[in-house]
Amino acid sequence: MTGYMATETTPSLTIPATKQVLALLKPGHKHTQPLPPGSGDAWLLADLASASRQTVVVLCADPLTAQRLADEILLFAPDLRVRQLPDWETLPYDSFSPHQDLISERLRTLHALMQEQVDILTVPVTTALYRLAPPEFLAAYTFAFRQGDKLDEDGLRKQLTLANYTQVTQVTAPGEFCIRGGLIDLFPMGSALPYRLDLFDNEIESIRSFDIDTQRSLYPVKDVQLLPGREFPMDEAARNQFRARFREVFEGDPSRALPYKDMGNGIAFAGVEYYLPLFFTQTATLFDYLPEQSLTVTLGDINQAIQRFSQDTHSRYQFLKSDRERPILPPSQLFLDEENLFLCLKSFARLVLADNEAHPDFQPAPKVAVARRADDPLASLRGLLSQGRQRLVLCADSAGRRETLLQMLAEFGIAPDSGSETLQDFLGSESRFALVVAPLNNGFGITEPSLVLITENDLYPAQARPLRRGKRAQERGSDVEAMVRDLSELREGDPVVHAQHGIGRYCGLVEMDLGEGQMEFLHLEYA
């Protein structure tokens, strides 16, 4: 396949069943396999994509699973090009539009699929139900600049406006541009950073990325690719198409309808995405963007997720359809139903991961929970290590958590092998036991190669653990993790931070009776 990046994956990643599964996966055929326990599904999918050299599309029953897989697959195979098609994160028929960052990520993913530059795509199945703009629209409204190109300022302004970019005084978000004499600032959809074009007369002398906060240039680039600013066109022809189709679909006087009037005035009103079919003669689906030889994987109870989404959508349609000022399209024009989705899947080879029996190559993670009241809280982990039958890797959520766990293990006389800080370091070494930074959700074991992965959820199964956020959410805000997950990690004299009282020192546990019997409390001392 053109565009596939040939990669050398760590040999220990391969499991015996992969080649057998690939031999059974033919276009139009379906094969069912047991779902691996824990985060073993990410290992299996990484192995499948590495061995098949085809685009693997994973339809998940819920968005959290799609996000988890996108994060965890890269831990096992960092060379794979993994993308996620995010949802709009709005309810059907909402009267507000998706966040620009979401639109940017969606357009970037769809364009990468068209260029066959995706090895694994994770997508919630309800997101795959949405009808999309045809690939021809994305191809027609995508353009690029290179250093040394001739550029007409007025022509560029018109081109950017037609592509749904907004002219502003200072660029801060995707889909914006600013022209100041010989300097042009652009924030392309799908890009992590904006770019500054420095013109000499009408020639692009240099292109540099810049920081939106300081507005300072960062590093030079040779070219910039611009995707459209929205998932639909807004030029005059498209607006006329919208109004003509609006008159065909909806009865009554269109001049009383707010969407019709706003579109006539060139306004992309809030919630315009749920009128997307009116911009095109024919819409497309996600499957129209996939390479012909793609492999599809369904994970979880996608049938139930589709049925629940369809029920909610029809309920909202029945409630809102009588609004004369804002008439809405029926669900059949906006979404695929369950039957049509599976008809689309029939064109591709499909692997069904069903949670109905044990997988022959994977086992659940062994029970190694920390018993904080015992004399040896790590007795279960110590016993597993003493058996020495499998290589074992303990996965910490972050570098800070790794240091905390290293200290706890040392206090109980357990020393991981040195030299492995990441999962790839461990897989490429001969180490028998290591503590690495690899934020996996749940551990699992593998028969061949003989390996056990243990996570902090396995060490502290009763501890409430916040869900990890995606990269986009982490970039918007701080991602500070709690350093203490269990009292067994605290020692008298350790500094701690209280939510209300600030920094103090841990002085042990004390028993107090507040009217409900004896209870244990943390004794904290403040200066």
Side-chain angles (χ1 to χ4, degrees), residues 8 182 185 260 322 461 508:
E8 291 294 332
D185 291 348
Y260 187 87
S322 300

Side-chain angles (χ1 to χ4, degrees), residues 82-113:
V82 182
R83 292 196 180 276
Q84 183 186 8
L85 183 66
D87 192 76
W88 280 340
E89 295 185 4
T90 59
L91 293 174
Y93 305 114
D94 267 347
S95 57
F96 53 87
S97 293
H99 194 279
Q100 279 293 95
D101 289 350
L102 289 171
I103 298 174
S104 176
E105 188 176 348
R106 284 169 60 88
L107 289 168
R108 183 183 180 188
T109 298
L110 293 173
H111 184 263
L113 285 171

Side-chain angles (χ1 to χ4, degrees), residues 151-173:
L151 196 65
D152 176 59
E153 185 178 310
D154 291 335
L156 174 65
R157 183 184 285 106
K158 293 177 182 177
Q159 194 172 15
L160 289 171
T161 303
L162 289 177
N164 274 319
Y165 280 71
T166 304
Q167 185 167 4
V168 295
T169 56
Q170 181 173 309
V171 170
T172 59

Side-chain angles (χ1 to χ4, degrees), residues 182-205:
L183 289 179
I184 300 175
D185 291 348
L186 295 170
F187 203 146
M189 299 297 285
S191 174
L193 290 170
Y195 297 97
R196 179 164 292 149
L197 283 61
D198 191 354
L199 302 183
F200 180 74
D201 195 12
N202 63 343
E203 180 180 321
I204 301 177
E205 186 175 35

